[in-house]
Amino acid sequence: MAEITYREALNAAMCQEMDRDDSVFLLGEEVAEYDGAYKVSRGMLARYGDRRVVDSPISELGFAGLCVGAAMAGLRPICEFMTFNFSILALDQVINSAAKMLYMTNGQVPIPMVFRGPTGAALQLSAQHSQACETYYVHAPGVKLVTPATPADAKGLLAAAIRDDDPVAVMEGELLYNVRGEVPDEEYVIPLGVAEVKRTGEDVSIITHGKMVHIALQAARALEREEIEAEVLDLRSLRPLDVDAILATVAKTNRVVYLEEGWPFAGVGAQIVSLIQDEAFDELDAPVLRVTQADVPMPYAKNMEQLAKPGVKAVVEACRKVLYMEVGTS
Amino acid sequence: MAEITYREALNAAMCQEMDRDDSVFLLGEEVAEYDGAYKVSRGMLARYGDRRVVDSPISELGFAGLCVGAAMAGLRPICEFMTFNFSILALDQVINSAAKMLYMTNGQVPIPMVFRGPTGAALQLSAQHSQACETYYVHAPGVKLVTPATPADAKGLLAAAIRDDDPVAVMEGELLYNVRGEVPDEEYVIPLGVAEVKRTGEDVSIITHGKMVHIALQAARALEREEIEAEVLDLRSLRPLDVDAILATVAKTNRVVYLEEGWPFAGVGAQIVSLIQDEAFDELDAPVLRVTQADVPMPYAKNMEQLAKPGVKAVVEACRKVLYMEVGTS
Amino acid sequence: MTPATQTAVKNGEAPATGADRDPVVDNRLHGFSREELHALLADMLLYRRFEEKAEEAYAIGKIGGFCHLHIGQEGLAAGSIKPLRADDLVITAYREHTQAIAKGITPRAVMAELYGRVGGCSGGRGGSMHLFDTTVGFYGGHGIVGGQIPLGAGLAWAIRYRGGDQVCVCFMGDAAVNQGAFLESLNMSAVWQLPVIYVVENNGYGMGTAFSRVSVTEMEARSGAYGIPAHTVNGQDVLETFRFFEGLVERVRGGAGPQFVNAVTYRFRGHSMSDPVSGTYRSKEEVEAHVQGEDPITILRDRLMGAGLLTQEELEGIDAGARAASDDAAEFADASPLPDPSTLYDHVYAEINPHGRLFLDGRDRGGAGG
Amino acid sequence: MTPATQTAVKNGEAPATGADRDPVVDNRLHGFSREELHALLADMLLYRRFEEKAEEAYAIGKIGGFCHLHIGQEGLAAGSIKPLRADDLVITAYREHTQAIAKGITPRAVMAELYGRVGGCSGGRGGSMHLFDTTVGFYGGHGIVGGQIPLGAGLAWAIRYRGGDQVCVCFMGDAAVNQGAFLESLNMSAVWQLPVIYVVENNGYGMGTAFSRVSVTEMEARSGAYGIPAHTVNGQDVLETFRFFEGLVERVRGGAGPQFVNAVTYRFRGHSMSDPVSGTYRSKEEVEAHVQGEDPITILRDRLMGAGLLTQEELEGIDAGARAASDDAAEFADASPLPDPSTLYDHVYAEINPHGRLFLDGRDRGGAGG
Ligand SMILES: Cc1ncc(C[n+]2csc(CCOP(=O)(O)OP(=O)(O)O)c2C)c(N)n1
Ligand SMILES: Cc1ncc(C[n+]2csc(CCOP(=O)(O)OP(=O)(O)O)c2C)c(N)n1
Ligand SMILES: [Mg+2]
Ligand SMILES: [Mg+2]
């Protein structure tokens, strides 16, 4: 177990899988000669050569579709989007080709591939570069979606995604790439569909995914000072979705806040709320509250961006609210 | 008040607005010489000429973007997608240009335009041609979305959408085009954001939108035979969303079923459930249930397609369930 | 190089009739043997009769949804696909019934798919627009105009990646070249020198829109931007088309890189079943002229009869075979069961993960998955 | 045709110095007057100093996010935009600071935007990549590679629709021509003969990828597929570029239809602030050679000095003016307030409907909207 960065963990997962399976290759903008726009694929061109680590033109729809086509023929492409913002251009190939192919072909043509890259906002990248794209990938059946929050999860979930026989979107965080953490050195795979309690607590559950796990943990620490013990459940995988883990934490605390980076309308949290109220209606002592990005495009100015992003304070307030405590005093 | 078809009502709305405002034009595939793939624009080329009624190449991303650009310069384009399925190719221009433009420009560049066409499934068009696209349009702030279910609503909402200074998606239904109904002959505009109770009832509320209104009404008639009075609330507009109307029907019946054509995960219904449990938690006597398309790509075979689509029976069962009645006996 | 199905022409055989043939006629026969010529005629007649049958079945509600007939374009299906090896790959759009048969899917499996039955090549899940059989190298059947173009590049990518010598043929309609996917795919194919032949079935119209209304250039101009050679072939002449593709496929197999073919053809029916044959966007006279003068089947028939290589009796025999195969396909389809409702959720995912819920509609609530 | 800002060259005036000038030098001066030449030099020096100032401000954290400098490419900004009329339209990508200034946004408003302040041309909401001022015909500032191309076609569409005689200039980077939007937009522009000039700022690289690695053809080959004439111009020679655009804009204004310009240039800095100037994808030597030999400012300076039209003292005076304007811009930006937090929800919608809720994050819960 070494302490490495999230970026290195992703790199390790890709190398782990490329070493064991020649049908795995990496294709995307700047992934080869430039070592990746965010240096996630550092050293991979040197290690695997330009047959397997390939720089593409800026043609998101085209190269995503090319990867789907290669997967139709049985290869296992890792299609890197420099960020998922740009993948909106490629959604037709994600939804109409990757997600629907197996079904339309009656099981003849699986699409064993990965779409990966950072999602959501970094710092002051403004409206077009700061979008959390989970909803676009999770709405249509046929694509799986994982959102690693820690270096260990990054390695284990990306490896699992590459091995999975379905298209799996792996949504990372630009602001996570430098985060350090303990990661198993040996072969490491985390099964898809297993959430993780990142912190236990009795009083209230903060359910979340991806980069927001860290905000949730900060909020939990702040609540601790008020002697509120928050449980932080990191879904890790949005499809498959670990419903048992969700229901377990609801049963334990009876009070839930869903935190996500994206917008509210038809966000991931909307689905989780719908699920909880349906399957644990009587367990709830308060409505599930949601903390999301403000329902506005991301502004550039630093103060406005901070205001628009979901932050620790909003999570703390939501937790106090579901606990029917006075809000705004902390 | 004449009885006309939904198709004719849409046509009437476009003509009404094109007559009063030269900056309104219609552009899309087959809209001119062919009178529209579904004949919605019948006669409009003859009436307005090829300056204002324009056949485009099959270039969804490009012509949607061209319309956004024309709107940037102050025109009021009606951009027809032959169906919204194909608009997934254009989503980048919808989300990154149309929805975010006003904000990025600090209010300098409004995008007064309409995206319109049928959404959802017709009959046996299989996976790639049978997708309800609401979630893709409603998730990002900046775009409004209406879903007329009747000829009168089609005329009034499309006219309002054309007049609105923001981008408005008008999602129609291929299976609705031949539906007949009373439509005001005179200038007719329905304000955006006003839901309509399409049937009153005391026992349970079926909330829905678009083409599913008709399924909801059928279900209500079936329930009537069991002496259950269902209220059918047609949202008509998903953004702006008539929250007052939603809360009113919840307060009245305390039991809600949300019916929609699309998939469950991060569907419109998820958001409505989230909203109701948040704002009317204590009004609910049962969890809000959702009826959606089966969480699978649409199959072609007739029997399978029927199974996959949300139907009257499923709605009736859901209503019985929120009433804590035995299910499956009707 | 051997043809993919048993009805197809065998290449590399000497023409059956000898040196006493008229050199002009002979030239127009492109050196095919009598058997080969008969086989190509049989192929095209099968496609024609098959689709006429489908047309009938549609009219009586046995087939639903969209149904796009290839009638008039059969010369191109036979001429471009028959020269392929069984392990070569074909991918195309939604007007693909005859292409599927040409590549080796049985008429039964195609018809059953149109009927939405389990015996269909996509198990009844795909329908007319989504015919698939990877065992014969047929990769669909795609409904989004232009959507198959990057996929075709990807199939070719996989060939190159594995060091194979197959070729991928990627068909599209003339209207599809106005999709951005066309640029992106052709450019990548050129940069990576993929073994792919992009074939435009240029029937002059995308639905009701003449190509000349949505392009100021001719089709041949569209690939040069990416350095991909453009070729034009008369798709109504199956013999010319066959010989052309035979040569081109070998060149690509040998490493010539991506190619672009403008295959000129004409659609004898409406765009789909709801579109009238003529009226709005093309005149009755225009259609008639093509049906009279440019029917690929008539052209081949006349040429063979002119050369004394086909008797009326033989023709009738071949046609009877085509009709019988089509009737048989329809009977098979009709007898094939509807898909089993319990399979609704099959094949959404290839891998059902042991943890977590994949279906969010309540289906695996409490079940194994959730 | 008059230049857009007061610093710009006035056209149509006779060159200031008379017939005694060296014809070779004169030729290379393209008939500009001394005042015009000084003004162009002043423009380019302003762009350079402005961006150097921005670079400094970025280093000390006054500017955040992505910041793409145009340094090295100023000849193109001045040469292509200065010939435009005030009511002509410009739209471009994210490397647009100097283009915005060229079209008439004040350095203050641009710098304040980079600082994220209310005094910015987009109120601090847009930032470096989203500069807008429609009053001077500058339509942004777009961050999705290729995203502005259809928008530019749309601006041109609006001109044609209204029967105006303006021209739209739509800039893009060399890498953007591999986006499908390029095909779709150029094709539509050709079909509808829109008054638009597509200008590729061909600096040879898209981030770390040389154009030759993602294209087998030269840039000039990319527009012929749509019948759009291609032109190449040396963007480092501001005078040649100016005269070229002057002529081209008039032709388009006169109805010549869409045009495609391959403007050859070079980026002297990294792709954005985090990208080193040289190293991975281009050598130190390559960059040095361009900085030494192809700096548009040096080229013009030397030419003017060689022709005796500029003294060292004059140059220093002009440069001092450029520095002063840049310092002033930075001071203005620094003094400009942050956006008022209460405006966070302003300008999401132009029309707040009287009914229904537009914001679903709880914001207008119980308020007027909901
Ligand atoms: C992206 C997209 N836009 C629109 C359609 C609707 N549509 C189906 S076929 C067609 C015309 C295509 O014409 P062409 O490519 O020439 O092929 P042909 O039908 O002539 O074989 C259109 C517009 C679609 N399926 N996909
Ligand atoms: C669709 C999309 N893909 C990727 C990116 C990331 N990106 C920003 S700039 C750039 C390179 C563009 O190069 P070029 O078009 O040559 O313009 P230049 O930066 O050289 O001015 C890339 C890949 C993006 N912004 N949008
Ligand atoms: Mg066609
Ligand atoms: Mg460049």
Side-chain angles (χ1 to χ4, degrees), chain D residues 57-77:
Chain D
Y58 195 94
I60 56 170
K62 295 270 185 194
I63 299 174
F66 289 149
C67 183
H68 309 86
L69 300 179
H70 207 232
I71 290 179
Q73 308 184 200
E74 297 95 338
L76 190 44

Side-chain angles (χ1 to χ4, degrees), chain C:
Chain C
M1 189 185 69
T2 55
T5 68
Q6 70 283 23
T7 52
V9 169
K10 299 268 182 304
N11 295 309
E13 292 177 8
T17 42
D20 55 329
R21 273 165 44 196
D22 175 343
V24 174
V25 169
D26 198 18
N27 196 31
R28 290 177 61 217
L29 294 175
H30 293 268
F32 286 99
S33 73
R34 188 172 174 284
E35 288 66 35
E36 290 169 328
L37 293 163
H38 279 217
L40 281 171
L41 186 65
D43 286 335
M44 292 197 295
L45 269 166
L46 172 61
Y47 309 158
R48 178 71 53 90
R49 299 308 175 209
F50 178 91
E51 287 208 309
E52 286 168 353
K53 194 80 202 169
E55 215 171 4
E56 269 176 55
Y58 195 94
I60 57 171
K62 295 271 185 193
I63 298 174
F66 289 148
C67 184
H68 309 87
L69 300 180
H70 207 232
I71 290 179
Q73 309 183 198
E74 298 95 340
L76 190 42
S80 62
I81 296 176
K82 285 298 173 190
L84 297 177
R85 272 193 343 215
D87 64 343
D88 287 329
L89 311 180
V90 167
I91 186 165
T92 182
Y94 47 82
R95 192 182 299 289
E96 89 281 32
H97 309 157
T98 70
Q99 297 171 330
I101 296 173
K103 192 66 177 66
I105 310 188
T106 65
R108 287 181 164 198
V110 174
M111 191 67 87
E113 191 57 38
L114 306 192
Y115 275 56
R117 304 300 174 90
V118 282
C121 56
S122 305
R125 274 182 157 73
S128 163
M129 297 191 284
H130 306 302
L131 306 174
F132 284 85
D133 186 349
T134 59
T135 65
V136 301
F138 195 79
Y139 281 83
H142 300 270
I144 304 299
V145 168
Q148 78 281 16
I149 313 178
L151 299 176
L155 293 172
W157 169 276
I159 294 171
R160 208 203 54 159
Y161 189 86
R162 293 186 172 123
D165 73 340
Q166 302 103 289
V167 166
C168 173
V169 178
C170 177
F171 292 96
M172 68 195 81
D174 46 285
V177 304
N178 291 328
Q179 285 284 29
F182 179 83
L183 178 165
E184 299 184 7
S185 306
L186 267 73
N187 185 55
M188 290 186 300
S189 303
V191 168
W192 295 318
Q193 287 294 296
L194 303 180
V196 55
I197 303 176
Y198 296 104
V199 183
V200 171
E201 295 202 82
N202 191 350
N203 59 15
Y205 297 91
M207 286 187 76
T209 305
F211 185 65
S212 59
R213 292 210 291 127
V214 286
S215 179
V216 304
T217 54
E218 299 299 318
M219 187 59 76
E220 292 86 339
R222 290 303 186 102
S223 71
Y226 325 105
I228 296 183
H231 314 266
T232 288
V233 67
N234 175 9
Q236 305 311 87
D237 183 339
V238 67
L239 304 184
E240 174 192 326
T241 301
F242 188 109
R243 285 293 184 236
F244 168 77
F245 272 93
E246 192 175 38
L248 190 65
V249 165
E250 282 317 293
R251 291 213 297 285
V252 173
R253 208 184 292 297
Q259 306 290 326
F260 180 67
V261 180
N262 171 35
V264 181
T265 185
Y266 198 81
R267 151 163 73 68
F268 289 4
R269 292 293 193 274
H271 168 74
S272 66
M273 304 309 289
S274 61
D275 178 44
V277 174
S278 60
T280 331
Y281 59 90
R282 54 182 195 178
S283 66
K284 203 163 180 253
E285 294 68 41
E286 177 186 314
V287 177
E288 266 314 301
H290 282 88
V291 171
Q292 292 311 318
E294 308 203 21
D295 186 327
I297 297 176
T298 314
I299 290 172
L300 182 62
R301 182 200 65 191
D302 291 353
R303 207 177 287 169
L304 297 198
M305 285 187 162
L309 292 171
L310 179 74
T311 66
Q312 181 62 26
E313 205 167 54
E314 284 170 327
L315 174 65
E316 280 165 19
I318 293 172
D319 195 28
R323 288 179 194 276
S326 305
D327 290 346
D328 170 72
E331 275 159 36
F332 171 84
D334 220 13
S336 178
L338 291 172
D340 176 354
S342 76
T343 65
L344 183 66
Y345 291 81
D346 293 357
H347 308 311
V348 181
Y349 299 95
E351 197 169 329
I352 300 294
N353 305 92
H355 308 281
R357 192 179 289 179
L358 277 172
F359 301 102
L360 274 290
D361 56 2
R363 144 138 176 140
D364 50 11
R365 177 168 171 178

Side-chain angles (χ1 to χ4, degrees), chain B residues 95-304:
Chain B
I95 294 169
N96 276 316
S97 297
K100 296 175 182 170
M101 193 69 70
L102 187 73
Y103 203 73
M104 299 194 307
T105 64
N106 199 34
Q108 285 181 78
V109 185
I111 306 293
M113 71 173 290
V114 166
F115 299 103
R116 55 156 289 272
T119 189
L123 294 172
Q124 284 194 270
L125 300 187
S126 202
Q128 295 184 330
H129 282 70
S130 307
Q131 188 169 330
C133 292
E134 288 90 319
T135 282
Y136 301 115
Y137 279 76
V138 90
H139 182 52
V143 174
K144 297 169 179 173
L145 171 56
V146 297
T147 56
T150 65
D153 289 351
K155 181 171 179 187
L157 290 172
L158 178 52
I162 296 169
R163 288 189 194 184
D164 200 271
D165 284 334
D166 289 306
V168 184
V170 180
M171 296 198 176
E172 307 158 4
E174 191 183 327
L175 296 178
L176 295 175
Y177 286 139
N178 287 327
V179 167
R180 304 186 72 84
E182 297 278 306
V183 177
D185 302 315
E186 66 284 2
E187 192 173 285
Y188 186 55
V189 181
I190 299 173
L192 304 186
V194 182
E196 188 176 65
V197 176
K198 288 280 198 288
R199 183 189 196 280
T200 56
E202 255 78 80
D203 300 326
V204 56
S205 302
I206 307 172
I207 312 182
T208 186
H209 68 270
K211 178 195 312 168
M212 287 298 111
V213 168
H214 302 277
I215 301 288
L217 289 170
Q218 282 174 49
R221 281 192 293 274
L223 288 163
E224 200 179 294
R225 290 195 290 274
E226 304 182 43
E227 297 186 357
I228 298 167
E229 287 303 330
E231 178 144 304
V232 175
L233 179 67
D234 173 9
L235 293 180
R236 297 207 290 201
S237 167
L238 298 180
R239 203 195 279 256
L241 182 68
D242 191 344
V243 177
D244 292 343
I246 295 171
L247 297 180
T249 194
V250 174
K252 184 175 175 189
T253 68
N254 314 110
R255 292 158 200 279
V256 182
V257 169
Y258 197 89
L259 165 64
E260 72 187 301
E261 205 182 348
W263 291 303
F265 204 135
V268 173
Q271 181 61 32
I272 306 300
V273 171
S274 157
L275 183 133
I276 293 173
Q277 75 91 42
D278 181 9
E279 303 189 26
F281 189 66
D282 297 329
E283 306 274 9
L284 286 177
D285 286 346
V288 182
L289 289 187
R290 295 171 58 196
V291 180
T292 67
Q293 177 178 330
D295 206 2
V296 306
M298 189 65 84
Y300 166 72
K302 199 188 259 178
N303 65 327
M304 300 289 268

